Every structure is written in C-alpha cells, then in structure tokens.
Amino acid sequence: MQNTWLIMGPPGCGKTNWIRDSFLKHPGSCAYLRLCGSDQEGLEQGHNAGIDSAWLQDQIPELLDLATTATAPLPSGPQLLLIEVQQFQPPTNSSPSGIDPHLLRQLERFNLRPDRTLHFGLDPELPQEDVLDFKRLESWHRNLQGCVWDPNSLSSFWFELVNGAYGDVYRAKALMNLPDGRSFLCNWVVSQQGSQILPLESVEPPAGRPNRTSQLVVQGRTLDPAGIQSTINDCLLTDDDLELHQAQFRYREHSFQTKG
C-alpha cells in the first residue's frame, strides 16, 4: 500500500529534515517530490534548485526522486511518497480539499492525489520552533554547478551572508564543493542559533571540477545580489588554483598508499 503525503510549510521550518527522518524510519521503499509553491504579494518563493533532493538522495541512496524519474514505477513493498512544498500560509484545513489549485495542477501532471496533508504551523505533530510568519520576502539564487570554493573563503562568505553583509537574510541554503572532493550542505534560518553545516556522504576524486548539484538559495529583505555575486567570484578557485590544491591531495593520498 502506498502512502502519499503532502508536506507544506514556510521557508526554513524544517520540512526537509522532517522528511529525511521519516524516510529513515520507514521500513519499505520511499520516493520524494519537490513541487513549486505559489508566490504571494511581497513574498517570493525560494528557487527550487534541487538542493533538497540532492541532499536526501545522498543520505538515502535508494530514494527515488519522482522529478527525475517520473515514468519509473515505484518499487514494490511498503511505500512512502513524501511531497514537499514551500507554502507561506497554512490552508484552511488539512484535508485534500484544502490544497491550493496551483498545487493540484502540478500533482495531476504526476497523476498523484495525496491521502494526507500536513502543514508546519497547523498540525501539532510537526515541530513548531522554526515556523516563521513572513510579511515580506525577496529571493535570489545562483547556480554553482562545477564551481569549487577556497575553504577559508567559503567560511568567511557564509559568515558574512547570514550576518547581514548583503542584506537581511532570513533563510539561506546551499550545496558547496571543496577542492578535496567533499561537498557540504550549508543551512541557516534566522530563528536558529547557528548554521547547519553537514558533509555529504559521497566524495568525488580530487581530479577536476565535480559534476554534481551545487546551488545557493537566499531569501530575505533588501538583498544585495551584486554584492553576493562579487564576493562569490572572489572566493571560487580558478582552474590553475584548483589543480594546485588537488595535486596536494593526490600526492598525500599516493604517499599514504605507498607507505601502507
């Protein structure tokens, strides 16, 4: 029997973490889908850059992402399909009849009809500590595919970003590549005491630019996109600098294997 749940809530409330925990507790096969929510007056949606699905699939390699495998049948056995949507205001009720028509049209394209709807800020079984009521929200994003950061510069940039150097940032999420082949999920919301910086399980060989999802999504007020972009440009490694970094990692790995 397949359970199809629609999980909604405002930016930064903990939807993806809750979904991850639910998948890890589920004994059978799991599938995930991220849909685009609706903009409201003065409230811009965060760009669906694939950060959440990439993070979930790194943590749960067998997870099926319906956005990229829409025609593939779900595996047999107990199934759980969780659909994530960023939605600023809770619906009038948690039944399927309360789903936004904009979402219904997207669900129809996948031939889906949720049998359960949960909204952060409405349903008491969901965490409440990071549910914020946004009155005005701008959004900006940058595709960083193939980009690699100088490690020290990345730390400085992220600190500046979430501490107001480029406007009042309320929400920031990113997947960032480092020259040693690691990638990190950087996650911050204004209600939290600090940033969540988590390494991905998968590590690529330190040989050239990685071919995996790398994105930055920022939401806030009076954002300074030009300032963010200028600093990013200063923090990314050129081809020559990247090779210098990676050559050191390859030499250390070779030396270790030789001694071993």
Side-chain angles (χ1 to χ4, degrees), residues 190-212:
V190 69
S191 58
Q192 297 176 358
Q193 294 296 319
S195 293
Q196 183 184 42
I197 309 293
L198 301 173
L200 270 64
E201 295 290 338
S202 61
V203 178
E204 295 200 358
R209 297 190 176 277
N211 182 26
R212 59 184 172 196

Side-chain angles (χ1 to χ4, degrees), residues 157-174:
F157 165 75
W158 190 259
F159 179 84
E160 292 175 355
L161 178 69
V162 302
N163 282 282
Y166 311 103
D168 297 326
V169 173
Y170 298 157
R171 177 78 175 104
K173 180 180 282 190

